[in-house]
Amino acid sequence: MPRVDIKAIIKDLNKDELKDLISVAQGVLSGLFSSDEIKDNIKESRFSKGYECPKCQCKDVNKNGKSNGRQRYICKRCRCTFDEFTLSPFSSTKLGLDKWLKYCELMILGLSIRQCAEEVGVGVKTSFYMRHRILDVINISLKNDTVEGIVEVDEVFIRESYKGNHSKSTTFEMPRAPRKRGKGKKDKKKRGISNDQICIETAIDRKGNILMGAVCNGRITTNDIVEFFDGKLGKDITFCVDSHKSYIGVKKDLNVELKQVPRGKSMLDSVYHLQHVNSLHSAFKRWLMPFNGVSSKYISNYLAWFKFLQLSKKNKKSDRIKDMLVNVATKETSITINTIRNRYIELV
C-alpha cells in the first residue's frame, strides 16, 4: 500500500475540517490506552520502592480509605495520610485524571490554550495553569541532561516579550514603549542583535541529545557560554561553532576542543558542521509561530516543551502522552497558581 503524505493533505484542509481531524485523532489516541492503565503506571512509578510515607520515608503504612476514587494510605509513625499524587503537581487540583490525560494529548498535538480549554471543558485560566503545571515538571526533568562527543553549538534569538504581564495589572510597569501592530502603526525594530532580544543557547550532539536555554539579552559572551555548559558536558567534547569571537575563550575554560566553521563556507565533506543545530533552530521557530508570541518569563517552559517533543518524536504518540502524564504525576514538587503567576524572566 503506498505511503500517504499526511502533511500535504492537512495543508489543504479548511478550519472546520482541521477541527474534525483533531477530534478524530483525539479519539484514536484515547482508544490506545485507558485511564486505568495510566493510574497503574503512575502508582507503580511513584511506589517503585514500595509504599513509603512522603513525609518521614517510613515504610510501615496501612490503607486509610479512598478519596476521589484513589486509595489513601496512613503512616504508622507520623500519621501522615497520602496517595500516589501527594506532593505532586496534581495534589492541589480537583480535576480528574481523565482531564489531565486529554490535556496531555492536546499538548502533543500543539493546540492553543483556548482550544485546550474548549476540548477539556475548563476555563481559559485553568487551561493556562494546567499547561504550566505540566511544563514546569518537564522543565525540571530535563535540566540535568548532558551532551557528549561532537557537539554543534549556536544561538538563536527571539524578541523579548512582556505578554500577559500588564493585562489588568496595577503594579507592573513596562520597561519600554509598547509595540504597535496594525495599519499605520509602525513598530520600530533595531537592526541586528540588541538587548530587546533574548539569546537562546543551543547544543545538539550526534546522538540527538539537546541542550537549550535562555542565557542573556543581546549578544552572548564567553562567560554566558561557560556558565550555560557548566556541569552539562561529558568527556572528550568537541565544539562545532561559528566564527563568533565569544567561543574562542571557552576552549580553555570548558576544556573542550574547538572546531570553528567559517561563515559562508560549506563543510559538507566534514563531520564538523552546524547542519543539525541550524535545522533545530528552524524547527523551533516554526513550532513557536502559532503561539503568536510567548511571554519571556515562561520561555524556559516552552523550550522544555519543544525539547520534549524533539526527544520523543521517534516514539508512538500514545507513549509520548503516557510518558508526559506519568512524569508529571510522580514528580515531587510544589507547583501552585501563585508560583506560576508570580514568575519572573529567568535566564540560565
Side-chain angles (χ1 to χ4, degrees), residues 319-330:
D319 292 336
R320 296 166 83 185
I321 297 165
K322 186 165 63 177
D323 289 346
M324 179 184 282
L325 188 64
V326 172
N327 190 15
V328 174
T330 56

Side-chain angles (χ1 to χ4, degrees), residues 150-154 202-204 206 240 273-277:
I150 298 176
V151 182
E152 297 177 33
V153 182
D154 200 5
T202 310
I204 180 170
R206 293 296 187 259
C240 293
H273 55 76
L274 297 172
Q275 295 177 50
H276 299 304
V277 72

Side-chain angles (χ1 to χ4, degrees), residues 277-315:
V277 72
N278 289 336
S279 177
L280 189 68
H281 285 164
S282 298
F284 173 65
K285 288 181 177 180
R286 288 195 302 271
W287 176 80
L288 201 62
M289 196 175 296
F291 295 109
N292 295 321
V294 173
S295 177
S296 296
K297 68 179 181 179
Y298 298 120
I299 189 60
S300 62
N301 273 359
Y302 281 85
L303 289 173
W305 185 3
F306 173 73
K307 181 179 172 181
F308 172 84
L309 294 176
Q310 289 295 308
L311 294 175
S312 62
K313 64 183 179 181
K314 292 182 180 179
N315 300 336

Side-chain angles (χ1 to χ4, degrees), residues 180-235:
K180 302 294 184 181
R181 291 184 293 179
K183 189 175 181 180
K185 298 179 179 179
K186 292 185 178 180
D187 180 10
K188 294 182 180 179
K189 296 180 181 179
K190 295 182 180 179
R191 296 185 64 182
I193 306 302
S194 72
N195 287 334
D196 287 341
Q197 295 171 306
I198 290 181
C199 175
I200 298 172
E201 183 70 323
T202 310
I204 180 170
D205 64 19
R206 293 296 187 259
K207 293 183 178 180
N209 298 312
I210 299 171
L211 299 177
M212 294 185 80
V215 294
C216 63
N217 289 83
R219 281 290 183 189
I220 197 168
T221 66
T222 300
N223 289 336
D224 293 327
I225 299 169
V226 172
E227 187 176 349
F228 174 74
F229 284 105
D230 184 31
K232 299 176 183 177
L233 299 177
K235 295 181 180 180

